[in-house]
């Protein structure tokens, strides 16, 4: 029987006109970065044809979202299957895809509200073991439906693929026998007359399928790095299948070499020595005019020292550091060495020193990023090099934010999720050097009918005072070490005290920390405790961080947590697993930026958005009975002023991170020198 595909394809082909008229977009599809070209998803979410995966990977640091609707007979009684996918090129060869599935037909299983449905949440991973070469096929291994209870796409497989002339790709593999999909030997063929059009045929070990994939936006989509795709497919026994999605592709990677690969000096930059007045007073006045707080400056021989606190530039300290160093270089007089100390709550957390002439060459474009990074001296000081009163002191400056969040009950995958939407107004007030007060209150915006009114989640309502000092407890001046004592309410019916410590080792690749706390319904009845230690590692070239923590968590369960986090531009993506006495869960976190690059100036009261919105999704794994979305497994204690997020700037304030992102420092400096006064150092 001929697959009924032609009618739905007419509007798609018309919409593809921009792609057709673009000669470059009709090139050889599979000749472009074979095996890692940012492939479109299969019906299972991983890169592939229809059901059959391809020996490829999502482009490194890319994001994929897709939806499809399938008329299926794979599950008894089910007719319609709807899938939603969120995938990431988490590592250069590793693709990770999260999936949510709903199966319905109005019969079979009925939930408490009288609706039929089977819902499944799970994940799939694929590792590209070998890239394609001239005479060698690409080879990949994958696992679909890790821990899912519906397990519609359950499979364990090995797959190989080889392209021919850049326009044809052959795929063959073997899946674990007896699975719902990829049962035994499978294979497929893709023919791509143009990059925007792919014709597919496959056999997944049980059924035949055929179809067409169209990427209608053509070269324009590649330029804006947002590539949509539409699939019109036919499956034996199921009939027509429609699927749609898009992929966000990452920008071109930065040069990692030490050669001169930096932007040339803009002509707008004025010549040496035209910035304006020099000296301590002029330098302090200029930095305060930019909006920095707790500013101090002093000359020590041929070294100019500045301490400053940045609450102006979001997400990255290096924008602010570039501005500060540019002003120092322009107003340093005869000083040779520039030394800037970054403050948090008026405490020193990072110090960067560089020769003035080296900095000038770097900003001018005569010195490459890697060569400049090698000339930086970065340390974590135990005390600030400049004492005395600060200009634009941050005492009694308050920040007010409103953080959105969604809370979930304990629920099974077969039931309807009970949830509530809340807003968390938060306030932080600096009282003095290392002293602050934080508060947070839960405001319920809406909830489902069965969500209990008395539901309480950890770290929701808070009011605490925090005292932070450099060094270990009872020992001051320890470089790279911060210790914080927090006293107050950490959650409803959780009043007590917490001691937090964080220590950066060496150049910042490794950190260790810990939290010890005792709390209860009153300060005189501290019947609960937390004791957790952690180790963190950062891999700068991949912008990757890994952490492991273990101990007794907020709900009293003992166990361990592991997390792998990577940045996708401004986006943060993390995979985590928690195993305690209560249960074992696994999930992912996506942190979306809510603020711009630069915030309003701090003042007596500043209302702003939270820097990130953290969307977290997880489920119970390795449970032989049923998967639950438990909220009481491995929950950390949040004091309201965590050292890693607040003082380490989400673990980015260290030498390895600066060495990777020095280009941002140059951008900040050039904005200063090309400003209204002009001027270079």
């Amino acid at each position: 029987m001929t697959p009924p595909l032609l009618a739905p394809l007419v509007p798609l082909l018309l919409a593809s006109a921009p792609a057709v008229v673009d000669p470059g977009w009709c090139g050889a599809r599979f000749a472009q970065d074979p095996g890692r070209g940012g492939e479109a998803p299969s019906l299972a979410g991983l890169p592939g044809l229809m059901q059959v995966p391809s020996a490829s990977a999502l482009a490194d640091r890319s994001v994929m979202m897709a939806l499809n609707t399938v008329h299926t007979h794979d599950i008894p009684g089910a007719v319609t299957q709807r899938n939603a996918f969120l995938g990431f090129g988490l590592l250069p060869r590793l693709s990770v895809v999260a999936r949510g599935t709903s199966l319905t037909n109005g019969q079979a299983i009925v939930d408490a509200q009288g609706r039929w449905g089977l819902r499944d949440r799970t994940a799939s991973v694929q590792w590209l073991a070998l890239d394609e070469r001239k005479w060698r096929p690409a080879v990949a291994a994958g696992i679909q439906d890790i821990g899912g209870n519906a397990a519609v796409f359950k499979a364990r497989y090995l797959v190989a693929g080889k392209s021919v002339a850049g326009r044809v790709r052959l795929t063959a593999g073997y899946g674990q026998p007896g699975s719902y999909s990829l049962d035994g030997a499978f294979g497929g063929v893709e023919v791509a007359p143009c990059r925007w059009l792919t014709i597919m045929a496959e056999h997944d070990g049980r059924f035949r399928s055929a179809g067409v994939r169209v990427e209608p936006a053509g070269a324009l989509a590649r330029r804006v790095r947002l590539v949509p795709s539409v699939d019109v497919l036919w499956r034996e026994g199921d009939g027509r299948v429609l699927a749609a999605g898009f992929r966000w592709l990452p920008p071109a990677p930065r040069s990692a070499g030490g050669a001169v690969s930096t932007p040339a000096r803009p002509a707008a930059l004025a010549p040496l020595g035209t910035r304006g007045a020099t000296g301590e007073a002029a330098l302090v006045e200029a930095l305060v005019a930019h909006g920095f707080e707790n500013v101090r400056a002093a000359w020590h021989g041929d070294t100019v020292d500045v301490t400053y606190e940045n609450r102006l530039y979001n997400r990255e300290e290096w924008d602010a550091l570039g501005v500060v160093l540019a002003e120092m270089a322009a107003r340093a007089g005869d000083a040779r060495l520039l030394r800037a100390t970054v403050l948090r709550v008026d405490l020193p957390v990072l110090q960067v020193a560089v020769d003035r002439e080296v900095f000038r060459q770097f900003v001018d474009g005569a010195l490459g990023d890697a060569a400049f990074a090698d000339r930086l001296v970065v340390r974590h000081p135990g005390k600030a090099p400049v004492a005395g009163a600060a200009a634009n002191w941050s005492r009694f400056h308050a920040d007010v934010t409103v953080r959105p969040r969604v809370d979930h009950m304990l629920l099974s995958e077969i039931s309807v999720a009970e949830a509530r939407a809340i807003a968390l107004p938060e306030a932080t007030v600096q009282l003095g050097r290392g002293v602050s007060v934080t508060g947070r209150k839960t405001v319920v915006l809406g909830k489902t009918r069965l969500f209990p009114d008395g539901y309480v989640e950890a770290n929701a309502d808070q009011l605490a005072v925090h005292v932070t000092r450099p060094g270990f407890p009872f020992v001051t001046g320890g470089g790279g070490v911060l210790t914080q004592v927090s006293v107050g309410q950490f959650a409803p019916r959780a009043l007590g005290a917490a001691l937090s410590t964080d220590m950066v080792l060496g150049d910042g690749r490794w950190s260790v920390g810990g939290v010890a706390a005792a709390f209860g319904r009153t300060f005189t009845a501290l019947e609960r405790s937390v004791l957790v230690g952690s180790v963190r590692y950062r891999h700068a070239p991949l912008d990757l961080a890994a952490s492991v923590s273990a101990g007794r968590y907020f709900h009293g369960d003992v166990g361990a947590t592991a997390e792998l986090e990577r940045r996708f531009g401004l986006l943060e993506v993390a995979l985590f697993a928690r195993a305690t006495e209560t249960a074992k869960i696994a999930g992912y976190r996506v942190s979306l930026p809510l603020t711009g690059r630069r915030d309003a100036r701090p003042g007596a009261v500043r209302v702003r958005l939270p820097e990130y919105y953290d969307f977290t999704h997880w489920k119970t794994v390795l449970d032989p009975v049923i998967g639950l979305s438990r909220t009481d497994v491995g929950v950390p204690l949040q004091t309201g002023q965590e050292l890693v997020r607040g003082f380490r700037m989400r673990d980015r304030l260290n030498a390895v991170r600066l060495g990777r992102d020095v280009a941002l420092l140059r951008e900040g400096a050039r904005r200063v020198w090309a400003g209204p006064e002009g001027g270079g150092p």
Side-chain angles (χ1 to χ4, degrees):
M1 178 178 177
T2 303
L5 295 174
L6 296 180
L9 282 179
V10 173
L12 292 177
L13 295 174
L14 291 176
S16 302
V20 176
V21 299
D22 179 3
W25 198 241
C26 211
R29 175 182 178 87
F30 303 118
Q32 174 185 326
D33 189 16
R36 275 189 274 178
E39 302 289 344
S42 68
L43 295 180
L46 288 167
L49 292 80
M50 290 160 282
Q51 291 281 56
V52 169
S54 61
S56 58
L58 293 173
D60 185 32
R61 297 212 301 176
S62 66
V63 179
M64 177 275 294
M65 298 184 69
L67 299 169
N68 61 49
T69 298
V70 183
H71 296 287
T72 180
H73 297 90
D74 286 352
I75 302 298
V79 172
T80 303
Q81 172 186 327
R82 295 180 176 89
N83 302 303
F85 303 100
L86 177 62
F88 306 98
L90 190 64
L91 293 173
R93 294 175 177 271
L94 182 66
S95 303
V96 178
V97 176
R99 174 180 61 79
T101 293
S102 173
L103 292 159
T104 57
N105 75 346
Q107 302 174 16
I109 306 171
V110 180
D111 66 14
Q113 298 184 23
R115 293 172 295 184
W116 183 93
L118 181 63
R119 292 166 177 81
D120 183 41
R121 299 176 311 246
T122 187
S124 303
V125 298
Q126 181 167 296
W127 174 257
L128 180 61
L130 295 174
D131 284 315
E132 182 180 347
R133 293 291 184 264
K134 184 176 181 180
W135 300 108
R136 185 185 74 189
V139 177
I143 303 176
Q144 294 179 179
D145 270 15
I146 302 173
N149 289 315
V152 179
F153 300 117
K154 182 179 179 182
R156 311 291 186 267
Y157 62 86
L158 187 69
V159 62
K162 187 72 178 72
S163 61
V164 179
R167 298 182 185 273
V168 177
R169 183 165 62 184
L170 305 175
T171 297
Y174 188 82
Q176 178 182 352
S179 61
Y180 285 113
S181 62
L182 306 180
D183 187 359
F186 60 83
V189 59
E190 299 164 86
V191 179
C194 292
R195 290 182 184 173
W196 58 272
L197 177 65
T198 305
I199 303 168
M200 303 174 288
E202 69 172 30
H203 192 285
D204 62 17
R206 296 188 302 162
F207 303 111
R208 295 170 296 171
S209 303
V212 176
R213 174 170 295 150
V214 179
E215 294 183 353
L220 174 63
R222 296 280 174 170
R223 284 196 290 270
V224 300
R225 304 200 302 273
L226 196 63
V227 182
S229 62
V230 179
D231 295 357
V232 180
L233 314 171
W234 172 86
R235 290 188 67 202
E236 182 181 1
D238 290 336
R240 185 183 301 168
V241 177
L242 298 176
F246 66 86
R247 309 186 305 284
W248 179 83
L249 303 178
R254 297 173 183 160
S255 172
V260 180
S261 58
T262 59
R265 172 189 173 99
L269 294 187
L272 181 71
T274 62
R275 183 62 186 168
T278 62
E280 294 179 12
L283 178 55
V284 169
E285 181 181 354
L287 294 177
V288 170
H290 282 290
F292 298 118
E293 300 172 295
N294 301 325
V295 179
R296 303 174 180 88
W299 264 249
H300 299 110
D302 65 348
T303 300
V304 55
D305 267 305
V306 163
T307 65
Y308 74 97
E309 183 157 348
N310 165 46
R311 292 198 293 157
L312 195 66
Y313 293 92
N314 291 313
R315 291 183 289 277
E316 298 289 359
E317 183 63 32
W318 318 132
D319 269 335
L321 182 60
V323 172
V324 171
L325 288 175
E327 291 287 6
M328 293 171 67
R331 303 177 188 276
D334 296 330
R336 179 188 62 83
L337 187 66
L338 312 177
R339 188 164 60 194
T341 301
V342 181
L343 307 176
R344 286 289 180 271
V345 196
D346 207 13
L347 293 177
V349 292
L350 189 75
Q351 188 177 88
V352 179
V354 64
D355 183 270
R356 185 186 180 207
E357 178 60 22
V358 169
F359 180 69
R360 184 194 66 78
Q361 293 177 10
F362 169 67
V363 178
D364 278 351
L367 190 66
D369 291 4
F372 175 73
D374 289 340
R375 305 287 290 274
L376 293 174
V377 178
V378 184
R379 55 187 294 266
H380 297 271
K383 60 182 297 186
V386 185
N392 195 22
W393 201 10
S394 63
R395 175 180 283 187
F396 303 130
H397 285 188
D399 273 356
V400 178
T401 66
V402 178
R403 187 179 304 276
R405 198 170 80 184
V406 177
D407 288 338
H408 296 279
M409 287 177 55
L410 301 183
L411 54 97
S412 73
E413 294 190 80
I414 299 178
S415 72
V416 174
E418 301 298 336
R420 69 175 182 180
I422 63 174
L424 296 169
E426 301 174 342
T428 301
V429 182
Q430 295 192 11
L431 301 181
R433 179 169 291 184
V435 182
S436 61
V437 175
T438 60
R440 175 190 292 176
K441 180 64 178 175
T442 302
V443 177
V444 179
L445 302 177
K447 66 183 186 69
T448 55
R449 183 172 60 88
L450 297 181
F451 196 98
D453 294 330
Y455 179 80
V456 175
E457 187 170 343
N459 306 312
D461 295 346
Q462 297 181 336
L463 181 61
V465 178
H466 314 277
V467 179
T468 310
R469 290 290 181 264
F472 290 107
F474 313 111
V475 179
T476 60
V481 180
L482 290 173
T483 298
Q484 181 183 90
V485 175
S486 304
V487 179
Q489 176 176 299
F490 304 129
R493 300 185 293 276
L495 285 77
L499 175 67
S500 306
T501 301
D502 187 74
M503 179 170 62
V504 177
L505 304 176
D507 60 1
R509 283 185 174 85
W510 292 92
S511 297
V512 295
V515 177
F519 50 92
R521 291 179 176 271
T522 66
F523 284 107
T524 58
L526 306 178
E527 69 273 8
R528 299 166 59 190
S529 64
V530 165
L531 183 61
V532 176
S534 64
V535 178
R536 305 189 306 280
Y537 173 75
R538 305 165 195 85
H539 186 269
L542 291 179
D543 211 352
L544 189 71
S547 65
V548 177
S549 67
R552 179 188 297 274
Y553 292 95
F554 182 83
H555 291 288
D557 50 330
V558 176
T561 297
E563 181 173 288
L564 184 69
E565 177 187 276
R566 196 175 186 207
R567 294 192 68 191
F568 289 56
L570 298 179
L571 192 74
E572 293 180 0
V573 176
L575 304 180
F576 63 85
R578 302 174 187 169
T580 73
E581 302 165 315
T582 304
K584 299 176 180 65
I585 67 172
Y588 64 91
R589 170 177 55 83
V590 179
S591 298
L592 306 170
L594 298 181
T595 58
R597 189 171 190 174
R598 177 174 168 143
D599 233 328
R601 291 172 180 250
V605 177
R606 179 177 65 167
V607 179
R608 62 190 295 268
L609 289 171
E611 198 168 348
Y612 281 90
Y613 170 69
D614 294 333
F615 174 79
T616 306
H617 191 80
W618 67 93
K619 60 165 292 181
T620 307
V621 294
L622 304 179
D623 185 340
V625 181
I626 198 167
L628 301 174
S629 290
R630 302 197 59 151
T631 61
D632 57 350
V633 180
V635 177
L637 173 69
Q638 296 180 10
T639 63
Q641 182 77 297
E642 287 75 38
L643 293 176
V644 173
R645 287 190 174 231
F647 287 81
R648 305 296 190 199
M649 206 168 185
R650 294 176 74 96
D651 225 7
R652 299 176 196 161
L653 213 53
N654 51 69
V656 292
R657 185 65 195 233
L658 174 57
R660 182 186 184 279
D661 290 338
V662 290
L664 296 174
L665 191 150
R666 181 196 296 108
E667 293 172 13
R670 286 184 171 182
R671 284 197 302 272
V672 172
W673 291 350
E677 295 184 43

